[in-house]
Amino acid sequence: MSRRASRRSRRASRFGAAHLAGWLFADLMLVLFLVAMAVQPRAQLTTGTPDDDQPTPTGPRVLGQDFCEFMIPVRADDLIGGSRDARADLLAKVDQALHRKHPSWLHGPEMRDAEGRGKCEEQLRQNLQVGFYLVYGARDDTGSGVVLGRKAAAAIKSGNARFREAIYRAAWTGGDGNGSVQLIVFFYQN
């Protein structure tokens, strides 16, 4: 009986050592990958519109890390119900927000900070194309908030030319601004 137990323990220890060696190899590869990524030169981003004599970039689009965040009052129940008037109202307000006509709609801690607000306003001034946006339906209950976010996101994508190439996500945000749409917009930098 002791011979069987000793064989099992030897097999278990051999399996354990091989198993640990595999994990050590995987960890080593991860560290080497991270070191290789760290020594790569940083990509240089340019802001603004390209000059006429410069060629238009043909590579992949670059999404900026700065964003604009708005809390836009909407006719929430009508928008959820599919009202065309509520959809048109939302699109008009999104257009007004992008043209800086309602600075009071800027929302969130980054937009209260002078630097964050300045970066947002600079991107709005440049009339950049939207690359990614988040739409949160501000409602007291989760279900109607998600529906509001989805309806608003789809309406914005189909109704505003600056959003047509963008990817979006829609969700719910709590009752803060109940009946509003929280819109967070990231712009392409090229």
Side-chain angles (χ1 to χ4, degrees):
M1 223 181 211
S2 66
R3 290 180 97 170
R4 281 187 191 171
S6 70
R7 267 193 231 148
R8 276 189 227 150
S9 73
R10 278 188 292 198
R11 271 191 234 139
S13 68
R14 281 189 297 224
F15 175 74
H19 185 74
L20 289 176
W23 277 108
L24 180 62
F25 179 76
D27 289 344
L28 179 62
M29 289 293 108
L30 179 61
V31 168
L32 290 174
F33 173 75
L34 292 174
V35 168
M37 293 300 292
V39 298
Q40 293 295 317
R42 184 172 245 236
Q44 298 297 317
L45 298 179
T46 59
T47 58
T49 56
D51 296 334
D52 291 336
D53 53 337
Q54 291 182 339
T56 305
T58 58
R61 303 293 305 264
V62 177
L63 192 64
Q65 64 184 1
D66 299 318
F67 60 91
C68 292
E69 181 176 351
F70 306 97
M71 183 66 83
I72 301 172
V74 296
R75 295 172 22 203
D77 292 330
D78 294 339
L79 193 59
I80 290 171
S83 165
R84 288 184 182 185
D85 290 338
R87 182 182 183 276
D89 178 61
L90 167 68
L91 292 173
K93 288 178 177 176
V94 167
D95 194 51
Q96 291 170 9
L98 293 178
H99 287 96
R100 302 183 328 268
K101 293 184 179 176
H102 291 280
S104 64
W105 289 351
L106 288 172
H107 177 75
E110 289 85 358
M111 298 301 107
R112 284 187 215 104
D113 177 63
E115 182 180 353
R117 189 174 51 254
K119 289 177 181 178
C120 168
E121 289 175 353
E122 178 60 29
Q123 292 182 100
L124 293 175
R125 243 187 314 281
Q126 292 176 16
N127 204 27
L128 298 173
Q129 190 73 23
V130 176
F132 178 72
Y133 65 104
L134 300 161
V135 181
Y136 296 99
R139 300 287 284 188
D140 288 331
D141 67 289
T142 308
S144 68
V146 170
V147 172
L148 175 60
R150 287 182 183 156
K151 295 264 186 171
I156 292 168
K157 183 164 181 84
S158 65
N160 189 308
R162 287 178 71 181
F163 288 81
R164 290 223 171 94
E165 295 178 29
I167 297 169
Y168 70 86
R169 296 291 177 261
W172 165 78
T173 188
D176 183 35
N178 192 19
S180 297
V181 169
Q182 182 180 359
L183 177 65
I184 303 172
V185 182
F186 292 84
F187 298 94
Y188 283 127
Q189 299 300 306
N190 61 345

